[in-house]
Amino acid sequence: MPESNFIDYVKIYCRSGKGGRGSAHMHRAKYVPKGGPDGGNGGNGGSVIMRGNRNYWTLIHLRYERHVFAEHGCDGYENRSTGKQGADKVIDVPLGTMAFDAQTKEFLCDVTEDGQEVVLLKGGRGGLGNFNFCTPTNQAPRYAQPGEPEQEREVVLELKLLADVGLVGFPNAGKSTLVSSVSAAKPKIADYPFTTMEPSLGIVRYRDNKSFVIADIPGIIEGASQGKGLGLRFLRHIERNSLLLFMIPGDSDDIRRDYDILLNELTTYNPELMEKKRLLAVTKSDLIDDELREMQKPTLPDDVRCVYISAVTGMGIETLKDMIWEELNLEGGF
């Protein structure tokens, strides 16, 4: 099976540039045999900078660039000339990328805006040249300052997709079908579980040229929070969503039980997910008749708004969009 292009986790080794040495040069010229100190300062080393770039959506461009080095600063030289500064190394990452120290697990930064820059490793300062140490009592210092050393660390970059709505459901619950019907995204759709093997984003057009972003992640199974199925690999992508849309097929034996299982897996993974807004969509409703639908309604969960939909026939899709927009805009959501 070909390797996926969606990479949301990489570990890279970063090193900033060291500062250049200051010069201990003494001025010499034809008619100035004993000139004073004129050694220049060393140049500053380059920094390693992480920058948000909205044109990226995966970390695949860093998968084979595991070593990121900024340039060293050049040494100072005569005539009080400062050495060239080392060039910074900029790492472009998709929005929603978090950085951690690979050894200590320390949180370093979170890039969520286009053009946002965060210095991961600061370059070393250049050393001072000997002319900086000239005093009335020491008019010919023959020493200069060394530059500061470089910094280095292993950094883990972890991508969490930024979306307004995250789809939560068991495999083959109709999540990808919904995304393909309400947006221009074209995720893989087939009649077997775990068709979706990587997250995908779709922009849903709403009334008056408004829109919101929906994220389709691989299906969750009971025990996912303990590593079953695709485990925890993609659960982190719903942590940033403003709204969780639970999707359960209408031909399920017990919709409330399935909803409770999904909710329990999310709560076990991260209890803070309980604070997010939730909606329930009963999918594939074209496969059940009105009588069965009326029998199911009293058994649906009481703590969440519910709508019956069919992405194939379009049943309930506009109602679902209205409900999503209302929830996103509650208490000034947009």
Side-chain angles (χ1 to χ4, degrees), residues 52 109 137 151 199 241 275 302-303:
C109 65
T137 56
Q151 300 180 30
N241 304 150
E275 301 175 4
D302 300 324
D303 60 343

Side-chain angles (χ1 to χ4, degrees), residues 288-301:
I288 60 177
D289 55 27
D290 294 339
E291 182 179 356
L292 179 57
R293 195 175 304 125
E294 292 301 321
M295 293 175 58
Q296 287 179 341
K297 286 183 179 179
T299 68
L300 298 177

